[in-house]
């Protein structure tokens, strides 16, 4: 007798609707809400059941069994107002790539000081050593003030 092995298409799932729920990790799901409130209120009664924080940082510290909230540890999201903004929140994939060269000190000088130096030279407002007779606000800054101004929010936009 000839034994022929055929392969067919199965229309039902091989597990017939049975799933292995042991592989689904359900953190902090042991007990009812009442039990969880009791456990949170009395952690010394339930030391064997640690609370899994799943990457969430605490916003305070526990000292002598009492929890103290620290305002500096609470995250604060600062979102600008976009009223009147002409930009759209979507950028098409067909938008051309922006290729920009490295921003050098020469580019910075050209963006900030070059036009004033040219205007002072043409109008004759330069001293013999090349310094301007009338200083602008940027030229009057000392190094510390310039350093603070350069690190303010939005200082890289000119």
């Amino acid at each position: 007798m000839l034994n022929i092995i055929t392969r067919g298409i199965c229309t039902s799932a091989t597990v017939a609707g049975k799933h292995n729920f042991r592989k689904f990790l359900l953190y902090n799901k042991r007990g009812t809400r009442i039990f969880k409130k009791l456990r949170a209120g009395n952690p010394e009664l339930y030391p064997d059941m640690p609370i899994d924080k799943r990457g969430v940082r605490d916003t305070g510290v526990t000292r002598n069994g009492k929890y103290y909230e620290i305002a500096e540890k609470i995250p604060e999201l600062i979102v600008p107002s976009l009223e009147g903004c002409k930009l759209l929140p979507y950028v098409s994939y067909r938008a051309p790539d922006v290729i920009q060269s490295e921003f050098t000190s020469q580019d910075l000088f050209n963006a900030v000081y070059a036009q004033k130096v040219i205007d002072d030279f043409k109008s004759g407002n330069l001293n013999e050593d090349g310094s301007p007779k009338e200083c602008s606000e940027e030229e009057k800054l000392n190094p510390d003030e310039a350093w603070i101004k350069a690190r303010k929010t939005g200082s890289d936009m000119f």
Side-chain angles (χ1 to χ4, degrees):
M1 181 176 216
L2 196 63
N3 197 0
I4 299 174
I5 299 173
T6 60
R7 192 172 233 189
I9 298 173
C10 183
T11 58
S12 65
T14 57
V15 293
K18 297 176 184 173
H19 297 285
N20 183 8
F21 285 103
R22 291 182 186 157
K23 69 179 180 179
F24 298 113
L25 302 175
L26 301 174
Y27 297 99
N28 298 329
K29 295 297 177 192
R30 292 169 55 185
T32 62
R33 288 186 182 179
I34 297 169
F35 175 74
K36 288 180 188 177
K37 285 182 182 179
L38 288 172
R39 184 181 69 178
N42 301 318
E44 62 273 353
L45 295 179
Y46 305 99
D48 60 331
M49 296 180 66
I51 296 174
D52 187 19
K53 301 193 188 240
R54 303 298 295 163
V56 178
R57 295 180 182 175
D58 285 336
T59 58
V61 294
T62 303
R63 299 288 167 119
N64 299 327
K66 190 171 180 184
Y67 186 76
Y68 296 99
E69 196 79 26
I70 299 174
E72 289 83 9
K73 293 180 97 177
I74 298 173
E76 180 182 354
L77 300 176
I78 300 172
V79 181
S81 174
L82 298 177
E83 292 182 20
C85 181
K86 296 178 183 176
L87 298 176
L88 299 177
Y90 172 76
V91 177
S92 173
Y93 285 104
R94 289 186 244 159
D97 289 337
V98 177
I99 300 172
Q100 185 176 355
S101 63
E102 183 181 348
F103 195 74
T104 63
S105 58
Q106 182 68 38
D107 296 331
L108 180 63
F109 177 80
N110 290 339
V112 177
Y113 296 110
Q115 190 59 43
K116 183 179 183 314
V117 171
I118 292 170
D119 292 342
D120 286 347
F121 179 75
K122 288 182 179 177
S123 64
N125 287 340
L126 294 176
N127 294 329
E128 293 80 24
D129 60 348
S131 62
K133 292 180 181 176
E134 300 169 6
C135 296
S136 65
E137 292 298 320
E138 289 85 11
E139 292 170 331
K140 291 178 182 177
L141 296 175
N142 64 27
D144 293 332
E145 292 171 344
W147 189 87
I148 292 169
K149 187 175 179 183
R151 276 139 187 89
K152 283 186 179 177
T153 303
S155 64
D156 56 346
M157 314 272 284
F158 49 85

